[in-house]
Amino acid sequence: MQDLVDIEFDELLKIVKKLPKSKLTKLKLELDQVYRIGKENTLAKLLLQGPTLSKSQLIKIAKTRKSINQWRLK
């Protein structure tokens, strides 16, 4: 069981600002889990965490698109 400590917001803010970057990142992740951001950002999160294309895949797509466009113009 955790004891509750009565800390003013300003005091808490000072403590948080003194944290090293690694601990601050860890705190942010923990807060994000506790207080999930609303559903309006669900799609943005999904897209940002989704798969990405490699440079070679992008080049292959560009070549294919160019070939298809040349074929359609004939």
Side-chain angles (χ1 to χ4, degrees):
M1 184 173 208
Q2 293 179 338
D3 293 326
L4 293 177
V5 179
D6 188 20
I7 299 176
E8 293 293 325
F9 180 77
D10 293 335
E11 292 177 60
L12 181 61
L13 191 58
K14 286 178 187 176
I15 293 169
V16 169
K17 286 183 177 183
K18 290 180 184 177
L19 287 174
K21 190 172 183 172
S22 61
K23 298 275 186 178
L24 197 58
T25 304
K26 199 173 186 180
L27 175 64
K28 185 184 179 320
L29 289 173
E30 190 66 31
L31 287 173
D32 284 345
Q33 286 180 349
V34 173
Y35 301 102
R36 296 245 181 236
I37 296 174
K39 293 182 179 179
E40 64 273 2
N41 289 332
T42 304
L43 178 60
K45 279 185 182 179
L46 178 67
L47 292 174
L48 289 171
Q49 294 173 352
T52 57
L53 296 173
S54 68
K55 192 168 187 164
S56 63
Q57 289 172 319
L58 290 172
I59 292 170
K60 186 175 182 177
I61 290 170
K63 286 180 182 178
T64 304
R65 184 177 291 139
K66 184 178 178 182
S67 296
I68 291 171
N69 285 338
Q70 287 177 347
W71 173 74
R72 288 185 1 192
L73 294 175
K74 288 183 181 180

